[in-house]
Amino acid sequence: KAGVTQTPRYLIKTRGQQVTLSCSPISGHRSVSWYQQTPGQGLQFLFEYFSETQRNKGNFPGRFSGRQFSNSRSEMNVSTLELGDSALYLCASSVDTLYNEQFFGPGTRLTVL
Amino acid sequence: DAKTTQPNSMESNEEEPVHLPCNHSTISGTDYIHWYRQLPSQGPEYVIHGLTSNVNNRMASLAIAEDRKSSTLILHRATLRDAAVYYCILRDVGANNLFFGTGTRLTVIP
């Protein structure tokens, strides 16, 4: 079974631009969560989607948004990029919410110049 | 969200057992104790989880205190591949958002 895939793996943007990151969950997984990892703040939860609906949201500004498609693939978007948005963005999928482990992708390394 | 406290770092010799402690004194009755680890340059990886009873799987064992205010992840024979940051996380039943703390960086000495 293929794992969680994220594209692109690396991305360089400049301040003020917007970016879209993509995540393909493991086949059969309906829940997709997004996390941001930075050296200063560690791993922080962004949001979770289940069956195309955002079910949980972390404490991030509205510039961070996401969506999930009917095939469970998910995208996250960051508008008006700031230098502080430079981070590793991780996507995780799971079958559903109850008890199941989350499977993480390798992440997208975003650098904002 | 209930918080966890872990030592910043620990060292272990290769092929010896490792006990990684975690304190979670404000745990609620519906919180599961999850452990994940993150190897260098990779996304986190699930290790084990439990509620009240001790748990074993192919990767590790989880020992949970009777009052559930602390737990210990046990790696029975540390290998170099086990060098990683280990995160102890409390996850409410039905919630799919993991709140990672700072974790414990485990160094395995050959």
Side-chain angles (χ1 to χ4, degrees), chain B residues 93-109:
Chain B
V93 62
N96 224 11
N97 40 329
L98 300 175
F99 288 91
F100 290 81
T102 53
T104 297
R105 182 174 298 279
L106 175 66
T107 300
V108 180
I109 302 167

Side-chain angles (χ1 to χ4, degrees), chain A residues 41-98:
Chain A
Q41 299 298 318
L43 269 156
Q44 293 185 284
F45 170 76
L46 278 157
F47 29 65
E48 183 225 354
Y49 286 87
F50 183 82
S51 293
E52 302 178 65
T53 301
Q54 185 183 92
R55 202 156 50 169
N56 285 298
K57 191 177 191 306
N59 189 24
F60 278 82
R63 300 185 297 107
F64 291 82
S65 63
R67 60 178 175 168
Q68 187 180 33
F69 302 96
S70 58
N71 61 359
S72 293
R73 190 178 70 84
S74 178
E75 289 181 347
M76 67 162 283
N77 183 277
V78 188
S79 61
T80 320
L81 283 166
E82 301 177 359
L83 296 179
D85 297 333
S86 294
L88 180 67
Y89 289 89
L90 291 156
C91 165
S93 77
S94 63
V95 174
D96 57 34
T97 60
L98 296 180

Side-chain angles (χ1 to χ4, degrees), chain A residues 2 6 11-13 17 28 38 43 55 58 66 78-79 96 109:
Chain A
Q6 294 187 243
L11 204 49
I12 299 175
K13 292 284 188 179
Q17 287 186 309
T38 60
L43 269 156
R55 202 156 50 169
V78 188
S79 61
D96 57 34
R109 171 76 62 186

Side-chain angles (χ1 to χ4, degrees), chain A residues 16-28:
Chain A
Q17 287 186 309
Q18 74 163 15
V19 67
T20 299
L21 311 181
S22 180
C23 171
S24 293
I26 291 172
S27 178

Side-chain angles (χ1 to χ4, degrees), chain B residues 60-99:
Chain B
S61 296
L62 176 60
I64 302 172
E66 198 169 329
D67 63 4
R68 300 211 322 129
K69 293 183 185 300
S70 65
S71 60
T72 302
L73 178 70
I74 302 165
L75 306 179
H76 296 286
R77 279 178 77 248
T79 67
L80 297 178
R81 195 196 172 276
D82 292 323
V85 179
Y86 286 78
Y87 295 96
C88 170
I89 301 162
L90 300 183
R91 177 179 153 185
D92 189 38
V93 62
N96 224 11
N97 40 329
L98 300 175
F99 288 91

Side-chain angles (χ1 to χ4, degrees), chain B residues 51-66:
Chain B
L51 183 61
T52 56
S53 304
N54 295 345
V55 184
N56 300 296
N57 67 19
R58 63 174 180 82
M59 288 180 69
S61 296
L62 176 60
I64 302 172
E66 198 169 329

